[in-house]
Amino acid sequence: MLFTGLYLVAFGTSGVKSALSALGADQFDENDPKEAVHLSSFFNWFLFSLTAGAIIGVTFLVWISTNRGWEWSFAVCTVAVLLAVLFLSMGKSLYRINVPKGSPILRFAQVFAAAIRNRNLPIPEKTDELHEIHDKQEEILERTDQFRFLDRAAIVRTNNGASTSMAPGPWRLCTVTQVEETKILLRMLPIILSTVFMNTCLAQLQTFTIQQSTTMDTSFIGFHIPGPSIPVIPLLFMFFLIPIYDRIFVPLVRKITGIPTGIRYLQRIGVGLVLSAISMAVSGIVETHRKSVANEHNMVDSTEPLPMSVFWLGFQYAIFGAADMFTLVGLLEFFYAESSAGMKSLSTAISWCSLAFGYFLSSAVVEIVNKASGGWLASDNLNRDKLNYFYWLLAGASVVNFVFYLVCASWYRYKKVEVKKVESSGEGDAKGKVELIQV
């Protein structure tokens, strides 16, 4: 029963995280300069809301579970979720809702199927020779020179030089826009893969920091901070950093760059990856100091807390909190902005997959390091383990991962969109001139 409940929580959370950010972002028009500024701000405040909820979870709910029991914590969470559903439903009539246009995964499959079917045909050099529908699509993607083999999906087959009279199905012929949607997803995959290792570092930091805190002085103005509440340190830093970033940093940089988001999405992600590497290096330094304190006071095998405040862990946590702020929001903005209208929710869902894969990978990393190093983390005594070496290894691997990210980011091509602009004929009728403008 317990695991059934936990898996249902995971199932529900996956739907909320993938759809909620896309629903909120849909309330803003990307093509409106004024609304584009608010769109970037929305993702910052979305993370701020998640941070505020997490702070309540690791403080108030931990206190309830410790002093009143787990059943009371779960009851509070249940009531909170029910209220969330109620408030979400109350605002339904106010939302700007984009009507689904079919499964994006099915559209991707159609592109590959049509491209394989036309694999023996030469790829046209001119875009005009490829299939496109200009009347029914509000957003038309311009052809790019990457993954050109997929362009075969938009080749119109002819019989003896003449076009066939029968309209081919979607599994035989796709539009250039549909092909470019598939290319966008393929270009995004290396970006998402380059952020997985950062989340692996996050998983290690959360796990070992709590273990480190059990060996340190957790007193604070007369109170003792429980181990599960230690993550409140980075959350508090993020709680204050996000408003500063959104209200001070972005407006200042926007005046210099002219970019609504201050810096580009890929630049923001890159800053986060650099900060995560620095955080791992700082973690190694703090752990080295913690072990030296244990040696100086002959407390290597002692179960008593060391004369060292747990707030030393705040240095590594603060830096990683800033890294998370840059990378997570950068990923959400990047995937939402670069996706076509029919794949917004799918793209934001993929960005959360980086977190999931990173946590899965963390277990494998510990096993591999233990076997390769002869047991850096195999002891039950953290004072005798080589956790500082492990942190420095993660820092070095993070630098290599950042280099890989730079290669992927420089290779990436931002999408080019042609938006239909309707000019009135001046006679009061609905008919007008349709002009394609590139943005």
Side-chain angles (χ1 to χ4, degrees):
M1 289 296 293
L2 176 63
F3 276 101
T4 300
L6 293 177
Y7 283 124
L8 286 174
V9 169
F11 181 72
T13 302
S14 65
V16 171
K17 286 192 172 182
S18 62
L20 187 57
S21 56
L23 173 63
D26 284 345
Q27 309 311 306
F28 305 91
D29 185 359
E30 297 177 89
N31 300 318
D32 187 332
K34 294 182 179 179
E35 292 196 20
V37 174
H38 295 305
L39 173 62
S40 174
S41 185
F42 162 75
F43 284 108
N44 291 323
W45 291 106
F46 174 70
L47 179 60
F48 180 83
S49 301
L50 295 180
T51 302
I55 290 175
I56 296 173
V58 298
T59 54
F60 179 63
L61 288 180
V62 167
W63 181 87
I64 291 178
S65 62
T66 303
N67 295 276
R68 293 291 183 270
W70 285 100
E71 64 276 11
W72 283 97
S73 292
F74 285 126
V76 171
C77 293
T78 301
V79 173
V81 171
L82 291 176
L83 290 175
V85 173
L86 176 63
F87 280 107
L88 186 68
S89 302
M90 289 172 62
K92 183 179 179 181
S93 60
L94 305 175
Y95 301 144
R96 176 189 293 169
I97 299 177
N98 293 331
V99 179
K101 301 177 181 179
S103 170
I105 297 178
L106 189 64
R107 290 168 62 86
F108 300 151
Q110 290 171 348
V111 170
F112 280 102
I116 294 173
R117 181 180 179 82
N118 298 335
R119 61 188 179 277
N120 295 324
L121 298 180
I123 300 176
E125 293 297 328
K126 297 182 179 180
T127 304
D128 295 340
E129 299 177 20
L130 298 176
H131 177 58
E132 184 60 278
I133 302 176
H134 293 281
D135 297 334
K136 297 182 180 180
Q137 300 183 109
E138 295 181 0
E139 182 181 79
I140 298 174
L141 300 180
E142 194 174 281
R143 184 186 182 187
T144 59
D145 58 355
Q146 294 175 321
F147 305 109
R148 295 193 64 195
F149 66 93
L150 292 177
D151 291 344
R152 290 188 174 93
I155 297 177
V156 181
R157 282 176 170 265
T158 59
N159 292 329
N160 297 326
S163 300
T164 57
S165 58
M166 295 180 59
W171 294 93
R172 295 172 177 267
L173 180 64
C174 303
T175 63
V176 173
T177 295
Q178 189 175 347
V179 171
E180 289 303 317
E181 287 178 349
T182 307
K183 290 183 179 181
I184 287 174
L185 182 63
L186 293 177
R187 285 196 294 264
M188 285 178 171
L189 289 180
I191 301 295
I192 195 68
L193 289 176
S194 61
T195 61
V196 169
F197 191 76
M198 173 187 166
N199 290 303
T200 298
C201 294
L202 174 61
Q204 302 299 342
L205 194 65
Q206 290 178 335
T207 301
F208 288 112
T209 299
I210 293 178
Q211 292 186 27
Q212 288 173 290
S213 69
T214 60
T215 69
M216 304 171 75
D217 182 11
T218 59
S219 60
F220 177 68
I221 58 174
F223 295 95
H224 285 280
I225 304 175
S229 294
I230 296 298
V232 75
I233 298 175
L235 292 172
L236 287 174
F237 275 100
M238 292 176 65
F239 188 81
F240 291 105
L241 281 176
I242 293 172
I244 293 174
Y245 178 86
D246 187 76
R247 295 303 180 186
I248 299 177
F249 178 80
V250 172
L252 288 176
V253 178
R254 184 187 299 142
K255 293 179 181 179
I256 300 173
T257 63
I259 302 173
T261 56
I263 57 178
R264 295 192 182 278
Y265 317 118
L266 294 179
Q267 292 173 336
R268 181 168 183 173
I269 297 171
V271 171
L273 294 179
V274 170
L275 289 175
S276 69
I278 296 174
S279 175
M280 290 297 99
V282 171
S283 299
I285 295 173
V286 171
E287 173 61 11
T288 300
H289 177 63
R290 190 195 66 81
K291 292 182 67 175
S292 67
V293 171
N295 288 321
E296 289 174 4
H297 294 81
N298 296 320
M299 300 179 67
V300 175
D301 297 313
S302 174
T303 58
E304 295 296 321
L306 301 175
M308 178 179 176
S309 175
V310 72
F311 288 100
W312 275 88
L313 303 176
F315 292 107
Q316 62 207 48
Y317 254 153
I319 299 173
F320 208 97
D324 203 24
M325 179 191 72
F326 277 94
T327 302
L328 179 57
V329 177
L331 275 176
L332 290 174
E333 285 184 315
F334 169 70
F335 280 104
Y336 185 86
E338 285 297 293
S339 301
S340 63
M343 53 182 287
K344 299 289 187 183
S345 294
L346 175 65
S347 297
T348 52
I350 291 176
S351 64
W352 289 105
C353 290
S354 172
L355 183 65
F357 291 144
Y359 273 68
F360 278 121
L361 182 61
S362 66
S363 300
V365 168
V366 172
E367 292 293 330
I368 294 172
V369 169
N370 269 331
K371 290 181 178 180
S373 64
W376 278 0
L377 308 171
S379 173
D380 292 333
N381 187 348
L382 200 61
N383 295 328
R384 294 192 177 278
D385 277 339
K386 301 295 188 295
L387 180 58
N388 50 342
Y389 294 172
F390 180 62
Y391 277 142
W392 286 329
L393 177 64
L394 292 180
S398 296
V399 173
V400 175
N401 180 70
F402 176 67
V403 173
F404 171 70
Y405 171 78
L406 288 179
V407 174
C408 296
S410 61
W411 171 78
Y412 186 84
R413 297 289 183 272
Y414 285 96
K415 71 175 183 180
K416 295 181 180 180
V417 184
E418 293 178 342
V419 183
K420 291 194 299 184
K421 179 181 178 182
V422 181
E423 296 181 357
S424 175
S425 61
E427 300 177 358
D429 57 5
K431 297 181 179 180
K433 179 181 177 183
V434 177
E435 178 185 356
L436 295 179
I437 56 176
Q438 182 176 314
V439 296

